[in-house]
Amino acid sequence: MKPANANPVFRALADPTRRAIFEELTRQGEQTVHALTRYAGVSQPAVSKHLTVLKRAKLVRHRRAGRETHYRAQPDALAPMVDWLRDYGDFWRDRFDKLEALLERMEP
């Protein structure tokens, strides 16, 4: 896996308001911009900007229904981040195993 694949996801979720919006959509399901604005406690234009960043990272999808736009989370888009974390988890487990083996050999 190329580390760059995870960058848009990390960047999008680095902001606490975007994380909160993504979590809300994940927990509560599809919601309108108006509902997300009430939840987020920021202005509608600010929520729209956050949703644009989440869309670019493919973390949310939207659909139009009349005058309303509905958003839903795309948890599968977290896969590059999960892969990156798994790779680093494997890396550090391997390093700690080697350190443990070295320390065992050094014991008198």
Side-chain angles (χ1 to χ4, degrees):
M1 185 204 80
K2 296 180 181 177
N5 292 343
N7 286 344
V9 176
F10 276 113
R11 269 190 237 118
L13 295 176
D15 182 273
T17 302
R18 283 194 291 271
R19 264 194 324 273
I21 290 170
F22 180 75
E23 289 173 13
E24 176 71 2
L25 290 170
T26 300
R27 288 188 179 108
Q28 302 301 323
E30 185 176 271
Q31 295 189 46
T32 65
V33 174
H34 297 295
L36 291 170
T37 300
R38 283 191 304 274
Y39 168 77
V42 295
S43 69
Q44 186 274 322
V47 169
S48 292
K49 287 180 183 180
H50 286 304
L51 288 166
T52 297
V53 173
L54 292 169
K55 281 192 298 188
R56 286 187 187 138
K58 297 181 172 62
L59 290 164
V60 299
R61 285 197 182 164
H62 72 284
R63 69 175 178 85
R64 299 279 304 176
R67 296 176 60 179
E68 298 259 79
T69 304
H70 299 258
Y71 287 86
R72 68 181 181 276
Q74 297 297 299
D76 291 346
L78 294 172
M81 186 171 65
V82 170
D83 292 344
W84 186 87
L85 291 168
R86 184 179 46 243
D87 290 346
Y88 272 90
D90 293 345
F91 170 83
W92 284 110
R93 269 189 295 285
D94 179 57
R95 293 295 187 263
F96 286 128
D97 289 346
K98 288 179 180 178
L99 176 60
E100 184 178 21
L102 174 66
L103 292 173
E104 287 174 1
R105 288 194 309 267
M106 292 175 65
E107 287 181 359

